[in-house]
């Protein structure tokens, strides 16, 4: 009997705590939604310094004392000569773009591009690592336009494709002054695709009516729940073809030497094949390019990172607290 009383008191306390935590989370999230200041911060990492430190560490491990002494003497002499050199050091800014279906990462990309346009000097370069299989036309159109800001400002930039830059990903890549791809990176897919299920027969089978009202003959062409018409299908296909034409014109503008009849079929190729077709300019990895540029440039990685809102932090903490309470309840109620 005492066990049941103690258990009931503990359960009441646990439920009260859970309700209180949930209430706080709801209030904070509601407050956060009212005040949407999704400000982030720019993070600058000196890749040249990291590479140099790696080199020093390896030298200390591999060289004899005599060799190490000679190496350190050489490094000091090089540093002294660099200090006397009044010429500004050319810089390379490295950006990463791993694109999702809606290209939502463009929000960070635009901040990174703006920062480069503000700080870049003559002789500086940009290296963009693109990894995307494509997605929504308007999202990747905007991402490509952000990269075009570099070209408009006459800042040379290279796109590196280590894994995949297809469809919208290649739309971004083709804006670059130079495209570099790994041997087995997937490149191309200059085409347009759209697909959707249709449940009209299923709804009819279960005697469910579906109504859709529009103003304008082609406000909707194909529908998921209604019965599609040949006229709607024809219009939908026409829109896909028009989008494909715009895509080809965009690629041709930046890479006029491409044989579009050959490469704009929606097919994709590996890096080794892509260079023969003119889709890329060089076979290498982004690591190779960074090492090469670091010889006579200061290389920085630039990343715009969104700050976590207070609501997100509290929600995460509340989630951990709830899990803790549930685990205690489970332990208490577990049979011996």
């Amino acid at each position: 009997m005492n066990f049941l009383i103690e258990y009931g008191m503990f359960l009441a306390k646990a439920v009260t705590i859970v309700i209180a935590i949930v209430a706080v989370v709801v209030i904070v999230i509601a407050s956060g939604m009212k005040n949407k200041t999704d400000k982030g911060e720019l993070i600058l990492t000196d890749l040249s310094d990291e590479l140099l430190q790696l080199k020093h560490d390896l030298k200390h491990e591999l060289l004899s004392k005599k060799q190490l002494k000679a190496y350190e003497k050489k490094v000091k002499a090089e540093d002294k000569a660099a200090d006397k050199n009044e010429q500004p050091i050319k810089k390379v800014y490295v950006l990463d773009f791993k694109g999702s279906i809606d290209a939502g990462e463009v929000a960070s990309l635009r901040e990174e591009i703006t920062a480069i346009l503000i700080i870049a000097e003559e002789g500086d370069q940009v290296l963009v690592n693109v990894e995307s299989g494509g997605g929504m036309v308007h999202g990747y159109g905007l991402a490509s336009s952000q990269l075009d800001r570099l070209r408009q400002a006459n800042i040379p930039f290279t796109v590196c494709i280590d894994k995949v830059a297809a469809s919208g990903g290649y739309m971004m890549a083709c804006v670059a002054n130079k495209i570099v791809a790994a041997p087995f990176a997937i490149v191309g897919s200059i085409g347009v695709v759209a697909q959707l299920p249709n449940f009209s027969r299923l709804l009819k089978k279960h005697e469910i009516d579906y109504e859709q009202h529009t103003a304008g003959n082609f406000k909707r062409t194909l529908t998921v729940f209604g019965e599609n018409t040949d006229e709607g299908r024809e219009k939908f296909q026409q829109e896909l073809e028009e989008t494909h034409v715009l895509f080809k014109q965009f690629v041709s503008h930046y890479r006029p030497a491409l044989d579009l009849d050959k490469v704009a079929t929606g097919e994709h190729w590996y890096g080794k094949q892509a260079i023969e077709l003119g889709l890329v300019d060089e076979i290498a990895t982004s690591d190779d390019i960074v090492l090469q540029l670091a010889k006579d440039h200061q290389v920085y990685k630039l990343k715009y990172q969104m700050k976590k809102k207070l609501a997100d932090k509290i929600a995460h903490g509340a989630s951990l607290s709830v899990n803790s309470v549930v685990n205690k309840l489970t332990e208490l109620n577990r049979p011996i």
Side-chain angles (χ1 to χ4, degrees):
M1 187 67 179
N2 288 334
F3 169 76
L4 292 175
I5 293 172
E6 290 179 4
Y7 179 75
M9 291 180 66
F10 176 80
L11 183 61
K13 289 179 181 179
V15 171
T16 302
I17 292 171
V18 171
I19 292 173
I21 292 171
V22 171
V24 170
V25 171
V26 170
I27 292 171
V28 172
I29 291 176
S31 175
M33 290 180 69
K34 290 179 181 177
N35 185 24
K36 291 187 178 180
T37 54
D38 297 333
K39 288 293 182 181
E41 58 180 343
L42 280 168
I43 300 173
L44 196 66
T45 305
D46 191 335
L47 296 183
S48 292
D49 186 59
E50 289 185 354
L51 290 171
L52 189 61
Q53 188 59 52
L54 175 61
K55 181 179 178 180
H56 290 342
D57 291 343
L58 290 173
K59 291 287 187 180
H60 276 77
E61 291 294 329
L62 298 173
L63 298 180
S64 65
K65 289 184 178 179
K66 184 178 180 180
Q67 291 172 325
L68 184 59
K69 189 175 180 180
Y71 168 73
E72 290 177 340
K73 185 178 180 180
K74 179 184 175 183
V75 170
K76 287 181 180 179
E78 290 174 350
D79 290 342
K80 192 174 181 180
D83 290 338
K84 289 182 179 179
N85 185 10
E86 297 180 356
Q87 293 294 327
I89 301 176
K90 295 177 182 179
K91 302 176 185 65
V92 176
Y93 298 99
V94 180
L95 310 180
D96 288 337
F97 185 91
K98 291 187 177 182
S100 54
I101 292 294
D102 65 351
E105 297 78 10
V106 73
S108 294
L109 179 65
R110 69 198 308 175
E111 299 289 347
E112 294 161 359
I113 298 294
T114 297
I116 291 172
L117 293 177
I118 291 172
I119 199 66
E121 299 174 347
E122 187 176 353
D124 291 349
Q125 297 183 43
V126 176
L127 180 68
V128 185
N129 296 316
V130 173
E131 183 180 327
S132 174
M136 295 182 179
V137 175
H138 56 278
Y140 280 91
L142 179 57
S144 301
S145 297
Q146 291 297 326
L147 293 181
D148 187 57
R149 295 170 66 195
L150 295 171
R151 290 199 62 150
Q152 296 300 321
N154 294 317
I155 300 175
F157 82 99
T158 300
V159 161
C160 286
I161 309 168
D162 284 334
K163 293 182 179 179
V164 56
S167 196
Y170 188 75
M171 179 186 285
M172 292 179 66
C174 74
V175 180
N177 301 98
K178 183 179 180 181
I179 304 176
V180 178
F184 288 94
I186 295 174
V187 180
S189 190
I190 304 173
V192 185
V193 63
Q195 54 189 355
L196 72 163
N198 184 268
F199 298 98
S200 62
R201 285 187 292 177
L202 180 64
L203 294 178
K204 286 180 180 178
K205 181 180 179 180
H206 293 278
E207 298 182 346
I208 299 172
D209 294 328
Y210 172 76
E211 292 187 15
Q212 178 176 268
H213 304 273
T214 62
N217 292 337
F218 297 112
K219 180 61 179 176
R220 285 290 180 271
T221 50
L222 298 185
T223 173
V224 175
F225 298 108
E227 189 172 349
N228 290 316
T229 65
D230 290 338
E231 184 183 22
R233 294 187 185 94
E234 185 179 342
K235 179 62 177 177
F236 192 78
Q237 183 62 40
Q238 179 187 332
E239 291 171 351
L240 289 182
E241 296 292 346
E242 289 171 353
T243 305
H244 191 206
V245 169
L246 291 173
F247 191 177
K248 290 191 291 184
Q249 290 174 346
F250 186 86
V251 174
S252 178
H253 173 73
Y254 292 102
R255 298 186 73 84
L258 277 176
D259 183 353
L260 288 179
D261 291 335
K262 194 171 184 178
V263 300
T265 58
E267 298 172 82
H268 67 267
W269 293 270
Y270 293 112
K272 281 285 190 181
Q273 300 167 314
I275 195 170
E276 296 173 0
L277 294 168
L279 289 164
V280 302
D281 304 300
E282 184 179 336
I283 297 297
T285 66
S286 60
D287 306 287
D288 296 325
I289 302 301
V290 168
L291 285 174
Q292 181 182 337
L293 290 171
K295 292 177 181 178
D296 52 5
H297 292 76
Q298 194 72 18
V299 183
Y300 295 97
K301 189 165 196 173
L302 186 64
K303 180 177 179 60
Y304 184 82
Q305 185 169 290
M306 302 299 291
K307 290 182 179 178
K308 283 190 176 181
K309 294 183 289 186
L310 179 61
D312 297 330
K313 292 179 181 179
I314 293 180
H316 179 66
S319 175
L320 293 177
S321 299
V322 171
N323 286 337
S324 176
V325 171
V326 170
N327 288 336
K328 286 181 180 178
L329 289 171
T330 304
E331 283 290 331
L332 187 61
N333 202 30
R334 184 176 295 167
I336 298 175

